[in-house]
Amino acid sequence: MKFNRTYAIYIVVLIGFLVAPLFLQEFRLGLLAKFLCYAIVAIGISLIWGYTGILSLGHGVFFGLGAYCMGMYLKLEGSTTGLPDFMEWSGVTTLPAFWKPFTNPVFAIGAGIIVPMLLATVLGYFTFKNRIRGVYFSLISQAVVVVVVTLFIGKQDLTGGTNGLTSFYTFLGMSLADSFVQQILYFVTVGVLAIVFALSIWLTKSRAGKVLMAIRDGENRVRFLGFNPTSYKVFVYSLSAAFAGVAGMLFVLQVGIISPAMMGITPSIEMVLWVAIGGRHSLLGAVFGAIFTNGAKSLFSETYPDIWLILLGLLFIVVVLFLPNGMAGLVQSIQNKFKKLKSRKEKSHEPDTMVR
Amino acid sequence: MSIFITQLFNGLSLGSIMLLIALGLAITFGLMNVINMAHGELIMVGAYTTYVVQQIVSSYLPQQMLAYYFILAIPLAFLISAVLGIIIEKTVIRFLYDRPLDSLLATWGVSLILQQAARSIFGAPNVAVKTPDWLDGGFSILGATLPYKRLFILALAVFSIVGLSYFLYKTAIGRKMKAVMLNREMASCLGVSTKKVDSYAFALGSGFAGLAGCALTVIGPIGPSIGTNYIIDAFMIVILGGIGKLTGTVIGALGIGILSTTIEYTTSATIAKVIVFALIIAFLQWKPSGLVSMRTRSLD
Amino acid sequence: MSQILWCDNVMVDFDGFKALQGVDLMIEPNEVRFLIGPNGAGKTTILDVICGKTKATSGRVLFEEVVNLGSLQEHKIVQKGIARKFQNPSIFSQLSVFENLELSIRQKRNLTSVLFARMTGETKNHIEKVLEQIGLQDFVYKQAGELSHGQKQWLEIGMQLMQNPSLLLLDEPIAGMTGKEREKTGELMHEISASCSVLVVEHDMDFVRKYSKQVTVMHEGKILCEGNMTDVQENEHVQEVYLGRRKQTC
Amino acid sequence: MLNVANLQAGYDETTILRDVSIKVEKGKIIAVLGRNGVGKTTLMKTLMGLLKPSAGDVVWRNHSVKGLRPEQRAKKGIGYVPQGRDIFSTLTVEENLLLGLEALQKKPKKDVIPSHVFELFPVLHEMLQRKGGDLSGGQQQQLAIARALVGNPELLLLDEPMEGIQPSIVQLIERVIIKIAREQGVGIVLVEHNVDLALACSDFFYILDHGRIVAQGDSKNVNLEAIQKHLVV
Amino acid sequence: GCGKTTSTEGQKAMIDTSGDTVKVGVLHSLSGTMSISEVSLRDAELMAIDEINASGGVLGKKIEPVIEDGASDWPTFAEKAKKLLQKDQVATIFGGWTSASRKAMLPVVEQNNGLLWYPVQYEGMESSPNIFYTGATTNQQIVPAVTWLLENKGKKVFLIGSDYVFPRTANKVIKSQLKAEGGALAGEEYTPLGHTDYSTLISKIKDAKPDVIFNTLNGDSNVAFFKQLKDVGITSADIPVLSVSVAEEEIRGIGASVLEGHYASWNYYQTTDTPENEEFVANYKKKYGDDRVTGDPIEAAYTAVYLWAKAVEKAGSFEIDKVKKAADGIEFNAPSGVVKIEGANQHIWKTARIGQVQADGQFKEVWKSGESIKPDPYLESYEWGASLSNKK
Ligand SMILES: Nc1ncnc2c1ncn2[C@@H]1O[C@H](COP(=O)(O)OP(=O)(O)OP(=O)(O)O)[C@@H](O)[C@H]1O
Ligand SMILES: Nc1ncnc2c1ncn2[C@@H]1O[C@H](COP(=O)(O)OP(=O)(O)OP(=O)(O)O)[C@@H](O)[C@H]1O
Ligand SMILES: NC(N)=O
Ligand SMILES: [Mg+2]
Ligand SMILES: [Mg+2]
């Protein structure tokens, strides 16, 4: 009964996204598409943070790596000379070796998933094996952000530096400026989001999902039940990195730019905030958190370009203080109240039920 | 020889700056477990306080007083930041003691607000603080010039660390602070007023941030986003040193200072930054709880 | 019969404090062994060494005669069949009682197996049986964090039972239990000793007296003496450091 | 001294204690008995102020302390040894003990730990500089009791103080409890699972079941048979 | 852009001219690190808009600015530019400071066939059909500055810059020029944006013993660099520093006493002596406060609005293609003197000026190019410049 209802909600939400293009202006649809990319990241963060208790403040890096992989392909596809424009003005004359395979879109898409996963696996393996946890892990992930961003900026001739990669015109021969192409990309994004969501739901419902939650509760205790938390944590961390990578690829296609700023500390923290606002323990909450927070951000900054940061800051504070489980938690507690009211009515003839 | 001395001094000097910006965090983060992302903005408040004091002194007091406005600015920077800290503690942090990671998110909001507020009040561009003349110039030794400003910051850092250590390790309030942070309920059952201790501790941490801000006006920019320049470094120092241990923080700060300047001297600032952060990551793999660890046998 | 566990001259040194100073301990299969001794004698520490939480400074711990536990990580030791109940209840407070038990099943614990693991009727029955044994049938879906202290103790015992261990380490299992429940625990211990060995740390002498055959007494990181309870009780040294001279009444 | 009337308390939405009334007189030891999960700890926490009662009153020395926070109650002379010890794990034993002084209304000039606690628990003296969290279970329990005693309480709430303590020291603690009750007039609420032990050192007992007082009486002449039914599952 | 022509060229951009106002976008960083510079550009543009509105608007319509915050974040610039073009259907956008923000907006304005006026000096090597560049390109700022340094201050040049595209590209140009004109490179160092400890870099400079320092640091770093340079006792007499991103506003944030005697290369200073400038400075101060100062990018932003208005009037239409066509050759008496749009690359003719910082924080002009210099973003007119770009 409860099972069916939850699934029904998921289906309704999916249908909602599918019909959205009918109601939205092109610009707004573009924004929504971008938010859905963010929602994919948010699902991954909810998995590692809400379910496993790992707070990563470095997911911007994974998002960025995915995006750069796609961006590299787009740059090469768009270049008439075989060299991306920024290399020309940085004085690079031959395409660096690691760029070469990115002429192949299949390779680029594969890399957009594998590269972030690989980094997460390596980093996660060492950090988790060495039992670095909690705040320590969070801050290490920030240090990783600093390293990667500084490198990307410093290696301008290879990466495009602060500018990042932009000026994309076609993808697989289709013009990215074409609104029909953009609509197709929107539906692809919705599809990917649905797959990522379903996969994550399945994961959390599996026994492994319970192990993840047990790790959140007490990692060492999990060891004494015979599980090796390291492998579980590495797995879920890389999975969420892969999600972020996929999201990054879709982002680049639709937004048309990726720069180190998108991998920095600020976006990485904001990603966590989307999830906090939506409800870290709820995957659907995370999806709506990403959409809602970014929607609010766009709205605030359009309406009050001078003080929108204050409004955004207040939003963060208020939600964190008063909705510890985010919007999903709010919905849940309203539901519970409602249920209680109902059951109280039904049982009103009985004396107060006793604990135990 | 002179370059060796200069670089060693540069390292120590950078280390002392790092120490100043990290000291406040060593309290709010190291002891109180609050991940205060607005720490950088408290530094900013200290810097703007210095600016305002200078403005007031130069427009209302005789010209010769201007040389000494700094003496007034130091305690005021501490005080104003501390008061702001108390306000933040009472309105935001207080609700989050059992949710340290959430404190990160809420204080991120606080930092956005403070930055924008500074922009609205003082304008977006940087403001200039003219350091008093007696801090101009430097002290020459073996061909190297050690600027007075840097010596001054070094002295301020030493003074702060000595004062803070005494406070934390030798006084009852320091002990109470540690107890409250470890187990709030139990501390209160023993008669410790947790609310007071929370406010004191957060005010103290914020005050040190203000002090750092005041010191930074001597060498760096003063603008609404100054805090963002320092916040990550400050956190790195605290975890590198080992959460909750001042000795660790000191070693961490000086270590990073000397390491950064040395690597930068042989490579470039960008590479130095990459290497230093990579080394921090690697070091923590080796010593997961920092230089000076506080592990106990409890299960988690 | 050969021993299931052999601690061979185990020493543990915490920054200069010698918590264990050469402990030799042998446990036979299907034995229930009691470990007693003054506070700070090193009882918990020896359990920590066996289950891998603390690494021995020197000496070795052999399991089933061949496996050297000293070289294994905690979870590997558990997979070998050694279960441990801690002195303070250690359960997963945000999971339900049922989920706590589900995770404790003896199963392949690698990622892929667990990812695709299904709840079988057999495991369900096992969980239900254990729930009954630990008396938490009415709390199946309660969050474990909301149980009382004693209930948590029971849950943790239940979690160890789920594992079908070959060696069960119990650190003060009846602390905080009332008379009847103590008896239940005592009987349970003997019941499961049909299929495994049990090493129990306990301070309650009535309980030890009632359920022990072999008792080992530790003191200051060493084994003081070994024997049945009556012998041990008579030992002057044991009386002096542990039991107290004579039973005092208030 | 302590008068608890019709107390009702619990966690969030679940009410645990219902209509609980107990009385503690000066120099008397009260035992609270009951099976696991009946609400003994909940009662202690409510007395200490860690939980807010939803109904009823707690009167301490003729004043209601219902609205007071734990630290205010501690300053009024209520000491607490919680179940599970709650030692400050990264503070040294000495610091843990010094914190006990916080409950004193008049601060001593210098931070000194009264020597009588070391007479009771010599092991603590040996381990003054060790971190609280590194102590063995029983040592921590001793530390928790010592910490409460340092504050010279007039009412002492002991939640299973004997848990994990070696027999000889259990006997010692028994004697100490009785001694401070008799000699210093401290009122004591003792939660203890061992019925024999509890009855042996208490003057009066209450039995809790399902959050209610189901039996009470004089400890010296109890009908064991009669109370047993409340204590078995 | 460079290389590819846009697929939507000639497409009718949507411009909302239905009412009696016409919307224009004003897109600068009002928050984040770049706001320290960009807020003033917004102010200058709004002032120009007010002035034009006061004198009747353009084509009889009042200009209605739509202000957006780029938040010092390039993808945000792209998003906001898209929003301005697609949703608000603005006639043009004035915006950007960093090259990165311009590069982010470039494909958006090209794909939507919009128009962007970019008011800051930059590294060149670009000319988008949908962008007008009212700041200096390299041959109007950096190249003359290097020549002047080599002639007046010495041959050994130390290059320091922030680690991003403008300084790196600028320094590439400078190095070619040094080689060609007989200068020597004493060193080249970059620091991350926001870097604030320059003690080590200054040690390196001391070791290298350069005659001059060419400074392309941006933003906050300038404050730290100059303060710390002074602390070790290096004055403008010892090693003069010539900056290309330090204008009057930056001086206010560093402190004039710290900078006194050092040089900058711009096309305009607050002290530039033209009647238009006198009025401009007075109006600016009246509008925004006596303590505010103008500066080169502020003037270029202000000028951009006028140039656009003139082009629209000349075209008699707001349509992008017509405006672009009409813009060629338009002249305007800007505060910096007469400027003229070069239709071929959509940059403007400007006068180069070297200024020296005075005790009051203002510049004293010490050199200026005789007449305004024709913009040459790809340095095609310089022999040594040929190798710098692959522009066919
Ligand atoms: N990490 C540590 N650092 C320093 N000393 C330690 C550490 N762990 C344990 N000890 C000391 O080792 C001794 C043995 O402790 P252990 O916990 O094994 O005692 P125990 O026999 O279980 O006592 P109890 O019956 O009180 O639980 C104690 O004196 C304790 O203080
Ligand atoms: N934090 C909590 N939230 C919700 N329910 C709780 C919480 N703590 C305890 N309970 C419930 O309250 C009831 C009483 O718990 P309490 O800890 O008072 O029992 P107790 O009598 O002390 O038991 P024990 O002898 O096991 O210590 C139990 O049913 C328990 O499940
Ligand atoms: N164009 C610049 N100064 O970035
Ligand atoms: Mg023990
Ligand atoms: Mg209890």
Side-chain angles (χ1 to χ4, degrees), chain C residues 148-150, chain D residues 36-37 39-42 83 159-160 191 193:
Chain C
S148 80
H149 188 74
Chain D
N36 293 129
K40 304 182 295 296
T41 300
T42 310
Q83 190 171 21
D159 201 347
E160 313 215 7
V191 170
H193 273 114

Side-chain angles (χ1 to χ4, degrees), chain B residues 297, chain C residues 43-45 87 171-172 201 203, chain D residues 136-138:
Chain B
R297 65 192 300 209
Chain C
K43 304 179 296 295
T44 302
T45 307
Q87 199 165 351
D171 205 350
E172 308 196 18
V201 173
H203 283 300
Chain D
S136 81

Side-chain angles (χ1 to χ4, degrees), chain B residues 2-33:
Chain B
S2 90
I3 190 62
F4 178 75
I5 292 181
T6 308
Q7 276 310 100
L8 184 68
F9 178 74
N10 285 343
L12 284 177
S13 158
L14 180 61
S16 65
I17 294 164
M18 295 283 165
L19 184 58
L20 273 178
I21 60 175
L23 261 192
L25 263 197
I27 301 168
T28 53
F29 173 50
L31 277 179
M32 302 179 72
N33 257 330

